[in-house]
Amino acid sequence: MYKCNAARMEDKIKTFSKFGDAGHGGITRYSLSPEALMAREEFVKRMEAIGATIETDDLANMYATIPGTDPNAKRIVMGSHCDSVKNGGNYDGILGVMGAMEVLETVVAEGIEHKHPLTAMIWTNEEGSEFPPCMMCSGIVCHDYMPERFRDNFEYNKMMASKSILDPEMTFGKKLSTFKFKGDAKNRLNPEQYEAMFELHIEQGPILEDAGKNVGVVTCVLGQMIYRVKFYGFAAHAGTFPMKKRHDAFHAAAEALCYLHEEIDKLGHEDLVYTTGEVVIHPCVNTVIPDYFDFSIDVRHTQPEVLDQVREILLKLPEKKWQGCDCEVVLGWNRDTVYWNKKLVEYVREATEELNISHMDINSGAGHDAQYVSYMLPTTMIFVPSDKGLSHCEPEHTSVEQCTDGASVMLNAVLKLDKQGL
């Protein structure tokens, strides 16, 4: 069994944390930004230093590859993303890139023999922080392999037309056209050249920490559905219109949301999670009774039957009036549970056991580029703990030792695949 180098990992963590330093211990590093460019240039510098060949595709996804002993063998790819949310942390996404780099550096430094070429990868625009949606470029690359019912979400021209939240005159396609690392579509990840993909990531939740485990053997990404629940009342003066005559859309939404929590909790599924994270109100004036309100509800679980139970509750909301308001429920997004390749999951589990690293099986509640890749290639993920379960915020942290453990597990799992195949 081989182990990655903690000193090298620490150096990478410290270096990459400078690119987009927000001044409070975290980063803001939007995709295609000057800060993202600096991170990518550092990736190129370090990978070229070990003799890797750098390729980029038409979406600015980046591939650094070291050869194997078999020139006809397909590549084994490892990677994640280097962009962040606003005021995010120094581990989400970029750990998967640093871990892939560390695997290649360890293989070269220790002269580890391997048959397949090994590739470290950076995906473009995973977060979708400036240009929505999230996981944009893995969605484009894997578009033709996705189920038809949601592949249109990542149609190329639609994605190129995505508008910046910072500058409505700027589109993703326009910004990409001038980006230094925009390359050729022939270099895209594809099943003809690639054998499988591994993605190392922080958990982004408290499960591993609570269980006292240092590695999560990820089995799947949870199924997810997002609905918008909309309420229609009428506006009137806040000071002069009697309470009993009001059709207050905000009050209606509040009543319905409390009802949803009560009814969903009655289902008794402790591993079911659901969240209201976005609201819209009109006219949003303190002296006017709201005539319109809508909220999102994001629901996640492994079993489609459980999601259907929640869906049934949601779709019954319009059958009644809420504070005199009409209700409409609209589907915004839906995905199936994505299960990882069983052989790759077993290689990860074997690697953790042979390295004597504490571990447990775990699922991913968050989405990742790997879930779209799984429609194209055999794929799996490896999790390491997040301190206090925090992520997408500046206090996000994982110890150097845990990051290195995750990279070591990935290295040995990759070598198992290299030797034993799928």
Side-chain angles (χ1 to χ4, degrees):
M1 301 302 290
Y2 296 95
K3 291 188 177 181
C4 291
N5 185 285
R8 275 200 307 260
M9 179 63 79
E10 183 174 24
D11 179 63
K12 285 191 281 289
I13 294 169
K14 289 180 177 178
T15 300
F16 280 92
S17 68
K18 297 175 183 176
F19 308 133
D21 181 1
H24 310 95
I27 56 166
T28 298
R29 190 163 63 218
Y30 291 164
S31 197
L32 306 184
S33 67
E35 295 79 14
L37 179 61
M38 289 188 286
R40 288 163 175 262
E41 288 174 335
E42 183 70 18
F43 173 80
V44 170
K45 181 180 76 173
R46 289 177 182 249
M47 292 293 91
E48 286 185 339
I50 62 169
T53 299
I54 309 296
E55 296 170 303
T56 62
D57 66 24
D58 59 319
L59 302 168
N61 299 316
M62 302 183 71
Y63 312 81
T65 304
I66 58 174
T69 57
D70 182 354
N72 297 314
K74 293 183 179 181
R75 302 177 183 183
I76 299 171
V77 62
M78 300 154 280
S80 193
H81 60 97
C82 70
D83 58 316
S84 81
V85 296
K86 183 178 180 180
N87 296 114
N90 293 313
Y91 301 85
D92 175 20
I94 191 62
L95 176 61
V97 176
M98 295 187 296
M101 295 167 66
E102 179 58 33
V103 168
L104 267 59
E105 289 165 344
T106 301
V107 167
V108 171
E110 300 194 20
I112 302 172
E113 186 173 321
H114 56 100
K115 179 174 67 174
H116 293 260
L118 304 179
T119 300
M121 183 180 178
I122 295 177
W123 284 104
T124 301
N125 200 31
E126 193 274 350
E127 294 292 358
S129 297
E130 180 178 357
F131 297 98
C134 58
M135 300 177 288
M136 176 193 283
C137 291
S138 56
I140 295 172
V141 169
C142 303
H143 173 273
D144 293 350
Y145 302 87
M146 291 179 176
E148 286 190 24
R149 68 181 178 279
F150 64 80
R151 67 170 58 165
D152 185 57
N153 293 322
F154 297 99
E155 192 276 323
Y156 178 84
N157 290 327
K158 184 185 293 185
M159 296 300 92
M160 292 303 108
S162 175
K163 292 185 178 181
S164 168
I165 64 166
L166 305 175
D167 176 7
E169 299 300 314
M170 179 62 70
T171 66
F172 181 78
K174 183 177 180 180
K175 194 161 188 177
L176 177 64
S177 69
T178 62
F179 191 63
K180 176 180 178 180
F181 290 113
K182 183 179 187 294
D184 196 310
K186 69 180 183 182
N187 294 328
R188 285 186 183 184
L189 189 75
N190 63 78
E192 290 72 40
Q193 291 178 286
Y194 290 85
E195 182 82 1
M197 179 180 176
F198 292 78
E199 183 170 358
L200 171 65
H201 209 280
I202 57 170
E203 181 200 341
Q204 301 183 278
I207 307 302
L208 290 174
E209 184 178 71
D210 288 351
K213 306 298 184 183
N214 285 323
V215 164
V217 179
V218 190
T219 57
C220 68
V221 174
L222 297 183
Q224 176 191 24
M225 61 185 189
I226 300 176
Y227 280 87
R228 303 295 306 199
V229 185
K230 306 183 179 189
F231 299 87
Y232 303 89
F234 62 80
H237 194 288
T240 61
F241 205 82
M243 297 298 291
K244 290 183 178 180
K245 295 177 67 68
R246 297 183 181 196
H247 293 186
D248 183 332
F250 195 167
H251 190 181
E255 182 180 58
L257 183 59
C258 290
Y259 170 82
L260 280 175
H261 274 255
E262 292 170 0
E263 293 302 306
I264 294 172
D265 288 349
K266 285 179 185 177
L267 297 175
H269 302 293
E270 291 188 3
D271 53 350
L272 170 68
V273 292
Y274 59 97
T275 306
T276 292
E278 185 179 34
V279 303
V280 176
I281 184 172
H282 181 272
C284 201
V285 175
N286 72 295
T287 57
V288 181
I289 300 163
D291 61 0
Y292 175 81
F293 194 99
D294 87 59
F295 61 78
S296 64
I297 182 162
D298 175 325
V299 189
R300 308 189 193 205
H301 196 270
T302 54
Q303 300 301 318
E305 296 83 3
V306 174
L307 294 177
D308 285 342
Q309 289 177 328
V310 178
R311 195 190 323 271
E312 185 177 349
I313 294 170
L314 280 165
L315 294 180
K316 286 183 177 179
L317 291 178
E319 293 179 3
K320 63 170 285 188
K321 295 274 190 177
W322 299 90
Q323 294 298 318
C325 297
D326 291 327
C327 175
E328 180 184 18
V329 178
V330 180
L331 177 64
W333 173 257
N334 192 28
R335 75 172 186 227
D336 298 332
T337 296
V338 173
Y339 290 94
W340 303 131
N341 179 273
K342 290 183 179 180
K343 178 62 75 172
L344 297 183
V345 171
E346 188 57 33
Y347 284 155
V348 171
R349 188 178 292 112
E350 289 175 3
T352 59
E353 291 170 354
E354 292 169 11
L355 287 164
N356 198 30
I357 297 172
S358 61
H359 65 281
M360 64 182 287
D361 284 8
I362 192 171
N363 58 47
S364 174
H368 301 281
D369 289 313
Q371 77 190 59
Y372 293 149
V373 177
S374 70
Y375 293 114
M376 175 196 288
L377 299 173
T379 306
T380 197
M381 293 189 72
I382 300 157
F383 278 174
V384 290
S386 297
D387 287 358
K388 300 179 179 64
L390 299 177
S391 181
H392 276 197
C393 58
E394 294 186 331
E396 177 183 278
H397 181 262
T398 300
S399 73
V400 171
E401 293 74 22
Q402 290 168 330
C403 292
T404 308
D405 279 350
S408 296
V409 168
M410 185 161 66
L411 167 61
N412 286 280
V414 164
L415 293 175
K416 286 176 180 291
L417 171 61
D418 179 70
K419 182 178 292 187
Q420 301 173 39
L422 289 166

